């Protein structure tokens, strides 16, 4: 561990990132440019989230890392090990015990508290990117609050599919001002963006940090006659029987067999430990 | 000012609920250079509510530069463009970027020569027509779609094409869609840059007919740039002839076309092929 500065990044870099984080917290949803560093992992694996986590961690923190809700997938395991090695912080898989949670594509099911920080890995921070290719133009649109194009996208969804078919990275408006991309979390998680925890978003390749301070009002965009619907699969979890959690669909054989299980592994394991049983649970 | 003109201004003022007729747009000495090269020089005119103004001239005569300056897309080197807003004639160059954008999608409209410049090719026809509404705050899907259907009907596009992308449309349909898209917010002033360019004659004729109907029905003020004299003969009340960046002649359309005074205008009128 002594081979590295605490949490890998050098102190001036951490300070630079903290400044960006503070600015982001001051202007909810605004994308703050920062001098993203090379990290010892490829872009797309969470370099932005890792830098934000590194700038946020203190030696007393307990870190949890999830990838699509799971603690045991490659991305989560390697980032958790990385910080064990370079920061020597305690790690956990329990949401309630963690003080810093780095996440890819999910918000934990267990409600967060005011002394937790949730760090999102963001691939594309610009919600207008696929509607307007020019960065100069999108910045101008944010500055002028010119967000009509966002509704054109939702209009196209309804015209094509009969409902708003955008199911992840669902655009939301922070504190009544900036429209932001909440990273590719399912729209089921959008209501959880109004949270007592601090939420930080880091995009390494795109060199942007944005943030939501605790209890920021976050509205998912919609039409008056097609209101926002945080939908999920209409099944209970096959392992723990939960009906309120976001589910993954798992193909179990070559004959079309499938089961639906909680995507949040810690939540599911916690419920099973408390005696809840689903239809497919081992006896 | 002739009696006919003041009468026209008066009736327009009544139908649009405006105050007693002042000009809608007032252009004062607009000049634009591209480095040492001249774009257009010292152009001044007033456009009255409900009036259609044609600008003709050969390629490179400064028509499009002038239109760009008038519509706020180019910054003139000298001169002012004043537009009648809530608190009187306002210098459009002094408007902030946000106010100018709002103006461009509510009170003004711009019809490009190439519909691909004015349309979003990846978005359905309905989305194209609805964009200006959504850009000005409409958030009711049913009403936006209703307005889109209404406008597709008015430009003679079948209702069942509403969810098709413009790339599946013919050139004439794309141009009509562009017109529907720009007129949906009920603008007062429309800029048109060669709206019939690149269309075959029969399609051109239909488009002109449609445009003439819409201009009359909505009481639009139009500035139309073209090199096609037949277009201005059909649409324009007043005509401005440009050559080498200068306005060489202006007046009532019939007067200019039937009795051209300037040598260049005479050449232009004489160059039209008779079918």
């Amino acid at each position: 561990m002594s081979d590295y500065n605490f949490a890998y990044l050098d102190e001036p870099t951490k300070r630079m990132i903290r400044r960006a984080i503070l600015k982001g917290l001051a202007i909810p949803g605004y994308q703050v440019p920062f001098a993203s560093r090379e990290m010892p992992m490829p872009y797309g694996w969470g370099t932005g989230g890792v830098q934000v986590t590194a700038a946020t961690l203190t030696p007393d923190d307990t870190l949890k890392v999830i990838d699509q809700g799971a603690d045991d997938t490659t991305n989560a395991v390697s980032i958790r090990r990385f910080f064990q090695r370079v920061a020597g912080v305690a790690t956990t898989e329990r949401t309630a015990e963690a003080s810093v949670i780095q996440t890819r594509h999910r918000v934990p099911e267990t409600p967060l508290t005011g002394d937790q920080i949730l760090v999102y890995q963001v691939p594309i921070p610009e919600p207008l990117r696929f509607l307007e290719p020019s960065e100069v133009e999108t910045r101008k649109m944010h500055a002028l609050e010119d967000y009509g194009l966002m509704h054109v996208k939702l209009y196209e969804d309804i015209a094509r599919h009969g409902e708003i078919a955008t199911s992840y990275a669902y655009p939301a408006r922070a504190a009544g001002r900036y429209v932001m991309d909440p990273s590719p979390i399912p729209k089921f998680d959008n209501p959880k963006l109004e949270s007592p925890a601090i939420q930080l978003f880091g995009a390494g390749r795109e060199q942007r940090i944005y943030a939501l301070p605790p209890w920021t009002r976050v509205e998912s965009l919609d039409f008056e006659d097609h209101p926002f619907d945080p939908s999920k699969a209409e099944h209970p979890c096959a392992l723990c029987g939960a009906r309120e959690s976001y589910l993954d669909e798992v193909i179990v054989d070559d004959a079309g067999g499938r089961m639906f299980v909680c995507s949040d592994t810690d939540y599911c394991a916690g419920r099973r430990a408390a005696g809840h049983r689903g239809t497919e649970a081992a006896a | 000012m002739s009696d006919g003109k003041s009468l026209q201004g008066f009736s327009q003022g009544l139908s649009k609920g405006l105050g007693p007729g002042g000009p809608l747009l007032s252009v004062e000495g607009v000049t634009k250079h591209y480095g040492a090269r001249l774009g257009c020089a010292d152009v001044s005119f007033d456009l009255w509510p409900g009036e259609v103004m044609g600008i003709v001239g050969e390629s490179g005569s400064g028509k499009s530069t002038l239109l760009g300056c008038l519509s706020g897309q180019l910054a003139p080197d000298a001169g002012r463009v004043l537009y009648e807003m809530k608190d009187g004639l306002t210098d459009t160059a002094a408007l902030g970027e946000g106010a100018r954008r709002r103006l461009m999608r509510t009170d003004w409209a711009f019809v490009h020569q190439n519909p691909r410049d004015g349309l979003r090719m990846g978005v359905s026809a309905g989305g194209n027509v609805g964009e200006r509404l959504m850009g000005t705050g409409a958030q009711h899907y049913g009403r936006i779609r209703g307005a889109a259907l209404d406008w597709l009907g008015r430009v003679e596009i079948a209702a069942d094409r509403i969810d098709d992308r413009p790339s599946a449309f013919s050139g004439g349909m794309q141009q009509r869609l562009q017109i529907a898209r720009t007129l949906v917010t009920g603008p007062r002033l429309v800029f048109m840059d060669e709206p019939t360019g690149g269309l075959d004659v029969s399609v051109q004729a239909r488009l002109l007919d449609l445009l003439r109907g819409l201009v009359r029905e909505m009481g639009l003020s139009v500035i139309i740039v073209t090199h096609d004299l037949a277009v201005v003969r059909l649409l324009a009340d007043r005509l401005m002839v440009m050559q080498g960046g200068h306005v060489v002649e202006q007046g009532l359309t019939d007067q200019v076309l039937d009795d051209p005074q300037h040598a260049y205008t005479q050449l232009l009128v004489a160059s039209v092929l008779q079918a």
Side-chain angles (χ1 to χ4, degrees), chain A:
Chain A
M1 189 227 135
S2 57
D3 297 347
Y4 292 100
N5 188 36
F6 176 74
Y8 187 76
L9 292 174
D10 57 287
E11 293 304 318
T13 297
K14 284 197 270 186
R15 185 160 69 170
M16 174 270 294
I17 294 172
R18 286 173 193 147
R19 279 184 174 154
I21 291 172
L22 288 175
K23 184 168 178 182
L25 283 166
I27 319 171
Y30 172 71
Q31 300 166 45
V32 185
F34 79 110
S36 178
R37 297 290 192 252
E38 273 310 303
M39 297 303 283
M41 59 177 68
Y43 289 126
W45 282 66
T47 53
V50 163
Q51 289 178 77
V52 171
T53 301
T56 312
L57 277 180
T58 68
D60 302 330
D61 273 321
T62 305
L63 179 70
K64 169 183 164 83
V65 184
I66 51 174
D67 169 8
Q68 308 266 16
D71 290 274
D72 53 1
T73 51
T74 313
N75 196 227
V77 170
S78 58
I79 292 175
R80 189 163 60 233
R81 284 213 190 122
F82 173 74
F83 281 114
Q84 271 172 337
R85 170 129 185 251
V86 300
V89 292
T91 58
T92 180
E93 296 193 357
R94 305 284 308 279
T95 302
E97 289 169 7
S99 55
V100 176
I101 304 171
Q102 180 171 336
T103 176
R104 172 174 176 266
H105 301 192
R106 270 318 302 282
V107 179
E109 303 287 353
T110 310
L112 301 176
T113 62
D115 44 16
Q116 289 179 312
I117 297 176
L118 186 58
V119 178
Y120 294 80
Q121 300 169 200
V122 181
I124 294 164
E126 179 51 74
L128 300 162
R129 174 56 65 242
F130 293 110
L131 305 165
E132 172 53 61
S134 158
E135 175 74 18
V136 173
E137 179 61 19
T138 56
R139 283 197 214 183
K140 225 180 252 179
M141 291 164 79
H142 281 295
L144 298 169
E145 227 177 315
D146 189 358
Y147 292 130
L149 210 48
M150 220 62 253
H151 272 92
V152 174
K153 175 181 149 66
L154 301 180
Y155 171 94
E156 286 293 287
D157 265 6
I158 302 175
R160 225 160 270 266
H161 307 287
E163 58 178 10
I164 298 178
T166 303
S167 57
Y168 66 95
Y170 193 101
R173 183 178 270 233
R177 177 60 180 83
Y178 283 96
V179 168
M180 57 175 265
D181 180 345
S183 88
I185 59 173
K187 66 177 170 183
F188 175 80
D189 282 343
N190 266 31
K192 296 187 210 157
L193 293 169
E194 289 191 4
S195 162
I198 293 175
Q199 298 172 83
L200 306 174
F201 299 77
R205 179 182 45 209
E206 304 287 326
Q207 313 197 325
R208 293 288 184 277
I209 285 172
Y210 50 108
L212 290 172
W215 299 119
T216 304
R217 187 159 49 90
V218 181
E219 304 149 288
S220 304
L221 302 183
D222 59 6
F223 285 102
E224 288 160 19
D225 47 347
H226 285 265
F228 173 70
D229 171 29
S231 59
K232 66 182 266 291
E234 291 294 335
H235 294 271
C237 170
L239 298 179
C240 76
R243 291 183 170 275
E244 300 78 34
S245 71
Y246 190 74
L247 302 175
D248 285 339
E249 183 179 4
V250 182
I251 306 293
V252 290
D253 54 32
D254 287 343
R258 62 191 57 189
M259 62 194 268
F260 289 90
V261 295
C262 291
S263 97
D264 187 333
T265 52
D266 166 56
Y267 179 77
C268 197
R271 277 179 57 87
R272 275 178 284 154
H276 296 279
R277 284 282 177 276
T279 51
E280 302 283 327

Side-chain angles (χ1 to χ4, degrees), chain B residues 1-240:
Chain B
M1 187 195 296
S2 72
D3 283 354
K5 184 123 292 171
S6 69
L7 201 65
Q8 184 193 21
F10 179 65
S11 65
Q12 282 304 332
L14 280 185
S15 66
K16 302 214 79 172
L18 298 173
L24 184 68
L25 187 80
S26 182
V27 182
E28 297 175 357
V30 165
T31 302
K32 172 81 183 169
H33 288 270
Y34 296 105
R37 229 173 283 278
L38 179 66
C40 61
D42 198 25
V43 179
S44 302
F45 66 91
D46 286 339
L47 185 76
W48 297 77
E51 191 179 28
V52 178
M53 168 93 155
I55 304 176
V56 296
E58 61 196 356
S59 300
S61 61
K63 306 183 301 261
S64 296
T65 299
L66 177 60
L67 198 67
C69 290
L70 299 183
S71 61
Q73 295 171 353
L74 295 172
D77 299 330
R80 299 195 304 166
V81 180
L82 305 168
Y83 177 69
E84 166 72 29
M85 293 175 75
K86 264 194 294 269
D87 29 349
L89 281 175
T90 310
D91 188 350
T92 52
L95 291 175
E97 173 83 18
R100 185 154 57 237
R101 282 189 181 213
R102 230 173 354 263
L103 191 64
M104 278 308 288
R105 68 168 62 126
T106 52
D107 247 20
W108 287 10
F110 198 105
V111 177
H112 294 266
Q113 172 175 10
N114 187 342
R116 282 160 187 274
D117 296 337
L119 292 172
R120 283 189 193 279
M121 298 306 282
V123 169
S124 71
N128 265 294
V129 178
E131 182 179 340
R132 274 167 77 109
L133 296 173
M134 293 183 251
T136 48
Q139 298 200 344
H140 190 286
Y141 176 81
R143 282 201 283 274
I144 294 167
R145 200 163 170 86
L149 274 172
D150 176 41
W151 267 99
L152 289 183
R154 288 166 82 164
V155 298
E156 299 164 16
I157 294 176
D160 62 356
R161 303 300 301 270
I162 187 169
D163 292 332
D164 291 352
R165 295 185 177 187
S167 45
F169 286 6
S170 69
M173 277 173 83
Q174 286 180 3
Q175 195 57 285
R176 277 180 279 143
L177 180 62
Q178 191 193 181
I179 288 164
R181 169 187 157 92
T182 53
L183 295 188
V184 67
T185 48
R188 293 161 70 199
L189 176 57
V190 185
F191 301 97
M192 297 188 189
D193 191 2
E194 307 259 14
T196 57
L199 301 176
D200 70 58
V201 254
S202 60
V203 177
Q204 268 192 30
R206 264 179 77 197
L207 187 72
L208 283 174
D209 211 37
L210 178 79
L211 274 178
R212 193 161 55 164
L214 288 172
V215 165
R216 293 242 176 92
E217 183 189 330
M218 301 176 70
L220 296 174
S221 306
V222 181
I223 296 179
I224 182 168
V225 159
T226 181
H227 54 240
D228 187 340
L229 294 183
V231 171
V232 289
R233 173 83 87 175
L234 265 172
L235 280 179
D237 303 319
R238 210 143 56 93
L239 192 58
M240 208 158 83

